[in-house]
């Protein structure tokens, strides 16, 4: 990965990044603020506050912003400094927990993920140890109906909709894969693995202006977690019970990959995490990459190598 340019923020944890029509980078940080950042001079403007913890975002061409808030559910901001509306805060009569990432089709259909039914953002590693398989991919139709497309996902995370609407993709962080749900054609409603056996933990994803699927890798695969995966659940849970200082920690790195819609790897960009690490958000436009992080107090900018 080429050198990074860092844009400081008035808070930490810009977990996802998306690009608004005016060229600014939109992100949500740990204190609940939604920020718009001018990448040319680093100017930061707070345009909303969710009252929770914003994660994945989707910027609409009409100026609206969809927000997955891990505490409040799926939200919509009608315009900068406008009103926030709760679109989904329960599914099948149960509270929507850990809404993670979101994308919308031109007709207003919304696809979004919920990472786990069992753990909060503060304790997300518990789901990796337990391997609960309680993540979901959900769809909200324009009339407000919500249905579960996929259940039993291993920490459902980033979501990408194919440009032709033929499929929706969801990253399964704890399974090291990108899963495809087909929306059209004879195979509509079927699922397969577009990308599998990734070398790290996939988080948010973004569809680039280059037509590629950009995938963040938060950290390389952890040998201990790989060894725990085939063991009975009670043994995996035992690791979660040991002191935090002895539990596996994500390695510091800045890492993104890009794939085409056949699943072929096109870019593999990584650099040491000395100045910026734990990349969880990525957006690409015209060869420029914008990166977000669950922990850093900044957005990072770099270029796609020729």
């Amino acid at each position: 990965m080429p050198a990074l340019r860092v844009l400081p923020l008035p808070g930490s944890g810009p977990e996802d990044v998306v690009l608004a029509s005016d060229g600014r980078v939109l992100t949500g940080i740990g204190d609940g603020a939604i920020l718009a950042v001018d990448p040319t001079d680093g100017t930061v403007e707070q345009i909303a506050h969710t009252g929770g913890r914003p994660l994945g975002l989707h910027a609409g061409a009409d100026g609206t912003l969809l927000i997955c808030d891990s505490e409040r559910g799926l939200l919509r901001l009608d315009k900068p400094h406008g009103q926030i509306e709760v679109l989904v805060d329960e599914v099948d009569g149960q509270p929507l927990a850990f809404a993670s990432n979101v994308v919308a089709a031109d007709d207003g259909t919304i696809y979004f993920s919920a990472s786990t039914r069992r753990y909060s953002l503060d304790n997300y590693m518990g789901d990796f140890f337990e391997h609960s398989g309680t993540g979901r991919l959900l769809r909200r139709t324009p009339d407000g109906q919500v249905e579960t497309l996929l259940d039993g996902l291993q920490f459902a995370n980033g979501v990408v909709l194919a440009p032709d609407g033929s499929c929706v993709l969801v990253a399964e962080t704890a399974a090291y894969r990108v899963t495809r749900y087909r929306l059209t054609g004879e195979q509509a409603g079927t699922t397969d693995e577009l990308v599998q056996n990734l070398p790290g933990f996939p988080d948010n994803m973004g569809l680039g202006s280059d037509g590629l699927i950009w995938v963040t890798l938060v950290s390389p695969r952890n040998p201990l977690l790989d060894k725990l995966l085939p063991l009975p659940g009670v043994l995996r849970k035992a690791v979660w019970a040991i002191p935090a200082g002895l539990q596996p920690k994500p390695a510091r790195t800045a890492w993104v990959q890009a794939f085409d819609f056949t699943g072929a790897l096109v870019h593999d960009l990584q650099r040491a995490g000395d100045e910026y690490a734990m990349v969880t958000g990525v957006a690409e436009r015209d060869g420029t990459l914008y990166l977000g992080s669950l922990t850093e107090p900044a957005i990072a900018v770099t270029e796609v190598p020729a």
Side-chain angles (χ1 to χ4, degrees):
M1 181 183 293
L4 301 176
R5 178 167 59 94
V6 176
L7 305 176
L9 301 175
S12 62
E15 196 266 351
D16 194 20
V17 288
V18 295
L19 292 164
S21 56
D22 64 5
R24 293 192 294 177
V25 184
L26 306 180
T27 190
I29 59 175
D31 67 0
I34 303 295
L35 306 176
V37 184
D38 187 332
T40 60
D41 61 9
T43 302
V44 180
E45 179 187 5
Q46 180 174 321
I47 61 171
H49 197 288
T50 69
R53 196 348 175 161
L55 297 176
L57 308 172
H58 174 79
D62 59 355
T64 60
L65 182 67
L66 297 175
I67 306 165
C68 277
D69 190 293
S70 66
E71 299 172 8
R72 298 191 60 201
L74 177 63
L75 316 177
R76 178 166 56 200
L77 175 67
D78 62 350
K79 60 183 179 181
H81 307 288
Q83 299 297 314
I84 289 181
E85 174 188 5
V86 178
L87 297 182
V88 182
D89 59 3
E90 64 175 43
V91 177
D92 298 331
Q94 298 296 319
L96 172 61
F98 215 135
S100 185
N101 200 245
V102 60
V103 69
D106 291 340
D107 66 357
T109 301
I110 299 170
Y111 301 89
F112 63 103
S113 61
S115 293
T116 172
R117 290 179 174 90
R118 295 182 57 82
Y119 290 90
S120 67
L121 178 61
D122 290 339
N123 296 311
Y124 74 93
M125 285 296 295
D127 198 81
F128 289 15
F129 295 136
E130 183 180 340
H131 216 63
S132 73
T134 59
R136 290 169 290 173
L137 176 66
L138 303 128
R139 174 167 59 192
R140 182 187 186 273
T141 58
D143 63 1
Q145 298 299 307
V146 178
E147 59 180 319
T148 300
L149 299 181
L150 292 175
D151 204 342
L153 301 179
Q154 296 294 344
F155 206 85
N157 217 318
V159 182
V160 163
L161 180 66
D164 62 0
S166 61
C167 65
V168 60
L169 310 176
V170 58
E172 291 188 71
T173 304
Y176 316 113
R177 67 189 176 208
V178 177
T179 297
R180 172 170 52 191
Y181 181 89
R182 299 181 186 273
L183 297 169
T184 61
E186 294 181 356
Q187 293 182 301
T190 64
T191 302
D192 63 359
E193 296 177 4
L194 180 70
V195 182
Q196 57 185 317
N197 200 28
L198 284 163
F201 295 93
D203 202 284
N204 289 321
M205 305 190 294
L207 179 66
S209 65
D210 52 13
L212 298 177
I213 306 151
W214 285 90
V215 182
T216 62
L217 296 175
V218 180
S219 176
R221 291 172 68 149
N222 183 283
L224 175 57
L225 289 179
D226 279 350
K227 291 178 181 178
L228 288 172
L229 186 58
L231 297 179
V234 65
L235 297 179
R236 295 196 302 270
K237 289 181 183 180
V239 177
W240 181 233
I242 68 177
L246 301 178
Q247 294 173 8
K249 297 291 190 301
R252 285 186 61 85
T253 185
W255 197 358
V256 295
Q257 293 185 331
F259 299 86
D260 64 22
F261 276 87
T262 71
L265 178 65
V266 180
H267 295 290
D268 186 1
L269 308 180
Q270 186 179 12
R271 63 185 291 114
D274 300 332
E275 55 184 330
Y276 200 86
M278 206 168 185
V279 172
T280 53
V282 59
E284 185 276 341
R285 180 178 289 173
D286 300 331
T288 299
L289 288 173
Y290 304 90
L291 308 178
S293 167
L294 182 63
T295 56
E296 299 286 347
I299 289 169
V301 184
T302 188
E303 303 298 322
V304 180

